[in-house]
Amino acid sequence: QVQLVESGGGVVQPGGSLRLSCAASGFTFRNYAMHWYRQAPGKERELVATITRGGAITTYVASVQGRFTISRDNDKNTLYLQMNTLKTEDTAVYYCNVPGAYSAYWGQGTQVTVSS
């Protein structure tokens, strides 16, 4: 069974940092690209970062470019999102997701609150 468990969120002041983790199981993690999404209250889920299977290629939405870094450890079946210089507009629930056949599987997400 595909399982995705996000963790690492919390409350932080503007300019602060957090590192999110996504523990994946139920599929061969190393064979799949991975995505980070976020969803603010009343808003649609937004794709914020992507990473290829081996981690060689990453992409970011413009609003986080230069501040966030997506990475993965295929030996640990874990996806990461390092978030630096956080802004109030980064406040959202953050989710990891597997594009393609497993895209319907979502974890609980982890809440990131950036408060001024």
Side-chain angles (χ1 to χ4, degrees), residues 57-97:
I57 304 171
T58 59
T59 71
Y60 304 90
V61 67
S63 59
V64 310
Q65 181 75 48
R67 300 188 297 117
F68 290 11
T69 303
I70 187 172
S71 62
R72 65 193 297 161
D73 186 338
N74 285 342
D75 291 331
K76 297 186 180 296
N77 291 165
T78 302
L79 178 73
Y80 302 99
L81 186 67
Q82 178 67 48
M83 306 186 296
N84 297 327
T85 319
L86 282 161
K87 303 176 179 180
T88 56
E89 51 261 49
D90 296 319
T91 295
V93 178
Y94 284 72
Y95 301 88
C96 58
N97 187 251

Side-chain angles (χ1 to χ4, degrees), residues 2-4 6 22 24-29 31-37 51 53 72 79 95-107:
V2 172
Q3 295 184 63
L4 302 168
E6 300 92 345
C22 169
S25 61
F27 65 103
T28 307
F29 180 78
N31 289 345
Y32 290 85
M34 293 293 295
H35 294 171
W36 280 104
Y37 284 80
I51 189 167
R53 291 180 295 171
R72 65 193 297 161
L79 178 73
Y95 301 88
C96 58
N97 187 251
V98 189
Y102 299 129
S103 63
Y105 292 85
W106 299 90

Side-chain angles (χ1 to χ4, degrees), residues 105-116:
Y105 292 85
W106 299 90
Q108 293 183 5
T110 187
Q111 175 72 52
V112 172
T113 301
V114 186
S115 62
S116 59

Side-chain angles (χ1 to χ4, degrees), residues 3-20:
Q3 295 184 63
L4 302 168
V5 181
E6 300 92 345
S7 63
V11 180
V12 66
Q13 296 180 23
S17 297
L18 287 170
R19 188 166 90 143
L20 308 184

